[in-house]
Each structure stands twice: as structure tokens, then as C-alpha cells.
Amino acid sequence: MAGRDPAERHAMSGRDPEERHRTATSLELLFDLCFVIAVAQASASLHEALAEGATATGVLRFALVFFTVWWAWMNFTWFASAYDPDDIPYRLTVLVQITGSLILAAGVPHAFADGDLRTITIGYVVLRTALAALWLRAARSDPARRTTALRFATGVTLCQVGWVGLLALPEAARLPGVAVLILAEVAVPVWAQNAGMTPWHPRHIAERYELFTLIVLGESVAAATVAVRGAFDRHQSTASLVATAAGGLLTAFALWWLYFSKPAYTLLATTHRAHRRRFVWAYGHYLIFASAAAEGAGLAAYADHLTGHAHTSQLAAGAAVTVPAAVFLLTVWAVHLRPHLTTAAARAPYPVAAFGLLAATFTPVPALAAGAVLVVLVVVVTVPRR
């Protein structure tokens, strides 16, 4: 807690956005680790849906479930960057949010299996209502930004009323209702910060996003490892399984390399302080995190396909591996790397590699081909700079 005035530890007056040596706290790390459970549940459920051939339904439900996980994580992250007194009421409220994340994780299998959103909605409402309480506390403690904090509290609360009301709608009306509520959720921060920006810390936000990227990539590797190991146990070592394992490992290494090849902090501290660019960067990470989690599910589903435990075609199984990698690459390039790249020659290799990833779908070994494409991209963009 170095750098904080003792009087601020018991009041949400706002952290100093220029505070030196600002890093993630142990409570934030615990928050992330508990959210990994929900990410793992979403990835495992997507794996099962892909293996059963229910690709469209599985992807749609994964997108919705992952939105609730990512949105709850992101909103707390930005709040904690601006207001974090680390006193007892604050800690207890964050622990309530963690409890909500565990309830949400428990509801993920039901949401995938039969579209039952009751448990996941309860967890999400617990999470978001606790955050609304923190915004009310910030409104009381920080008069200069009271309007912003009250807008956040109001918007979050109204959205939770909407999610609860959604459960009472007929089945046919739920999907349009979900779309409306998602639009309302993503509009709340834009509306609230039009009244004034919260004192978020650029280096702290960059670190938080980097840590969650590592967590999601790690979960993807873990999911793929478990699936491939199970396939080896059933069929011993085969060339196709070895190629899949090698390709998955190369893909994970390359995705990590590319994401961390440019620092996010330099953008957030300069050009991305403007609302439009900041929101594009922050919201764009939904696709980065979701595609990283989906990559592990895709590799697991492809391993099932190789051992005859999946009801999918070779093309669909290959796409489950290559499409998430292409989405990750294109999104990282668009929102995270492209602002650093000043010439067309520096920007071109990324979309070309994304095309190569999609083309790898049609090869006999899509995972290995995708890994090779990404390794070539890493070499192309790294060696000249060195």
C-alpha cells in the first residue's frame, strides 16, 4: 500500500493516477484466480458442445457466458484502479463479488446444457450489485466525481433489474432481451464517464489486463493438455496427436509472444486517455480473452475428433482450432499492436498471418499448421526489430 496517504485508506476519495510503483494487490490477484474457475467452466462447456457437433449453439452460449465473466472482471478492474482504500468494508464487498463469481461458475454447465440461466444470473447479479454498492460509496466520498459514480451505480442497478426480469420472459423473447441488456451494459461506462473520468492508473490497468491475458492463455494450455493426455491414454502415441500437441504448444507460445511484444502502458498513458480509443482498447479485449479460452476448447475438441470421440467433421474440428487463433491475432493487432506500428509494411504481416491461420483449417494437421504460421509471424515481426 505504499504511496497512499493514511487518511485515504478509509475513504474512497480516488487514487492518484500518477502514483509511483502502483501494482496489482493480493486481493485483485485472488479475484482473478477465482474468476479462472468460471473461465475454465466456459471453456470446458464449449469443448463439450464442439465435440457433440452443436457448434452454433455452443459458440452462442459461450459468447454470452464469457461476456458475463469478462464484463464483471473488467468493471471491477477499472473501479479498483480508481478507488481502492483497502479497508474492511472494501475487502468484504470484493469478497462478496468473488462469491458471486463462484455462483456464476456453478451455473455455467446448466447454461450450456439446456439454456438454464437462473444460477448464472444469480451469480452475476450478486457480483454487479456489490459493485453498485461500491460506486455509491465512491459517490459519497468523492464529491468531484459524484455524478460519474452515481451514473455507474444507477446504470449497473437498472441492468441487474433487467437480467432478473429476463428470467420471467418466454423462451422466444429471451435472446432479443439478452441482446438489449448487453447493449445497455456496455453503454453504462460510456454514459457515466461522459460526466467525468475516474482517476484510473494507466500502468495499473495495463498490468491487470496483462495478468488476465496470462491467466486465460494458461487455462487454454491446461484444457488442451488434459484433453490431449486423455487421447494419448486411449490411443497411445499417434502422429496426429503428437502434431496436435506440438501445434497447440507453438500456438500458445506465439500468442503470448505477440501480445507482449508491445507495452500497453505506453498507449494508455498517452493517446488512449481519450474516451474513444480507451473504450475500443478495453472492450476489444473481450475478443482477445474469449478467443484465448476458446482456443483451448478447440484443441481439446480436435483431440476428441482424432480419437473418434467427437461427432464432427475434419473441417469443423480444424476450424475449432484455427478460427479462435485468427480472432485472437486480428484483435490483438487491431486494438493492441496497430497503434504502435507506423508503416504499412509493419502492419501487413498480421492480417496475412490471420489468412494463413484460416487456410490451415484445410490441411491434414491444422493445429501444427496454425502453430507454424504463428511462429513464422513471430520471426518476421521480431528479427528486423532486433
Side-chain angles (χ1 to χ4, degrees):
M1 299 293 102
R4 249 188 276 191
D5 187 274
E8 291 182 347
R9 296 182 184 180
H10 302 287
M12 283 189 176
S13 56
R15 297 286 294 264
D16 178 6
E18 303 298 331
E19 180 182 328
R20 299 183 65 184
H21 311 299
R22 178 75 188 277
T23 59
T25 66
S26 59
L27 184 58
E28 288 176 313
L29 297 178
L30 177 63
F31 187 87
D32 288 359
L33 289 174
C34 290
F35 263 73
V36 170
I37 299 173
V39 172
Q41 290 285 355
S43 179
S45 297
L46 177 61
H47 165 208
E48 292 175 6
L50 293 174
E52 292 170 2
T55 303
T57 302
V59 170
L60 182 61
R61 289 178 175 173
F62 174 79
L64 171 59
V65 168
F66 201 90
F67 172 83
T68 62
V69 175
W70 162 77
W71 189 246
W73 175 88
M74 191 187 77
N75 277 258
F76 168 73
T77 294
W78 284 85
F79 177 90
S81 189
Y83 302 99
D84 178 9
D86 195 39
D87 57 11
I88 292 175
Y90 176 81
R91 288 185 173 193
L92 292 176
T93 309
V94 175
L95 293 178
V96 170
Q97 292 187 69
I98 291 174
T99 302
S101 76
L102 298 176
I103 297 172
L104 188 155
V108 170
H110 295 291
F112 267 85
D114 50 21
D116 184 355
L117 299 178
R118 287 175 295 180
T119 304
I120 203 171
T121 299
I122 291 171
Y124 186 68
V125 170
V126 169
L127 268 164
R128 302 289 282 150
T129 303
L131 182 64
L134 287 176
W135 278 116
L136 289 174
R137 187 180 174 198
R140 186 176 66 249
S141 303
D142 189 3
R145 303 177 186 90
R146 180 165 296 159
T147 301
T148 300
L150 288 175
R151 285 189 178 187
F152 266 113
T154 301
V156 169
T157 302
L158 290 176
C159 285
Q160 301 328 295
V161 173
W163 287 111
V164 173
L166 186 68
L167 297 177
L169 292 180
E171 190 75 25
R174 286 188 182 176
L175 187 58
V178 166
V180 169
L181 285 170
I182 288 176
L183 290 175
E185 289 273 18
V186 299
V188 168
V190 179
W191 171 60
Q193 297 215 47
N194 278 337
M197 188 167 63
T198 56
W200 56 278
H201 194 289
R203 191 176 294 278
H204 176 251
I205 288 292
E207 182 191 25
R208 298 291 290 118
Y209 273 71
E210 289 166 355
L211 287 172
F212 204 69
T213 301
L214 288 173
I215 286 173
V216 178
L217 283 174
E219 170 54 35
S220 178
V221 171
T225 300
V226 169
V228 172
R229 184 185 64 191
F232 274 130
D233 291 342
R234 292 191 297 268
H235 284 257
Q236 301 303 319
S237 178
T238 67
S240 296
L241 284 173
V242 171
T244 300
L249 198 59
L250 289 175
T251 297
F253 290 167
L255 295 182
W256 166 81
W257 191 296
L258 292 166
Y259 183 89
F260 287 92
S261 63
K262 298 291 183 181
Y265 164 71
T266 57
L267 296 177
L268 295 173
T270 54
T271 57
H272 285 47
R273 282 189 175 274
H275 279 336
R276 183 179 64 82
R277 291 187 175 183
R278 185 173 78 254
F279 280 118
V280 169
W281 184 88
Y283 286 10
H285 271 74
Y286 166 73
L287 290 176
I288 293 174
F289 295 153
S291 60
E295 180 65 21
L299 285 164
Y302 190 78
D304 286 344
H305 167 75
L306 291 176
T307 57
H309 287 74
H311 306 287
T312 55
S313 65
Q314 168 68 21
L315 187 62
V321 174
T322 59
V323 171
V327 172
F328 183 98
L329 176 60
L330 284 174
T331 311
V332 167
W333 169 72
V335 305
H336 188 64
L337 298 179
R338 195 171 183 274
H340 291 280
L341 307 174
T342 57
T343 66
R347 294 170 180 167
Y350 297 92
V352 171
F355 178 81
L357 286 173
L358 296 177
T361 307
F362 303 93
T363 67
V365 282
L368 186 59
V373 168
L374 289 168
V375 168
V376 170
L377 175 62
V378 169
V379 173
V380 167
V381 300
T382 302
V383 171
R385 189 168 72 245
R386 289 287 178 260

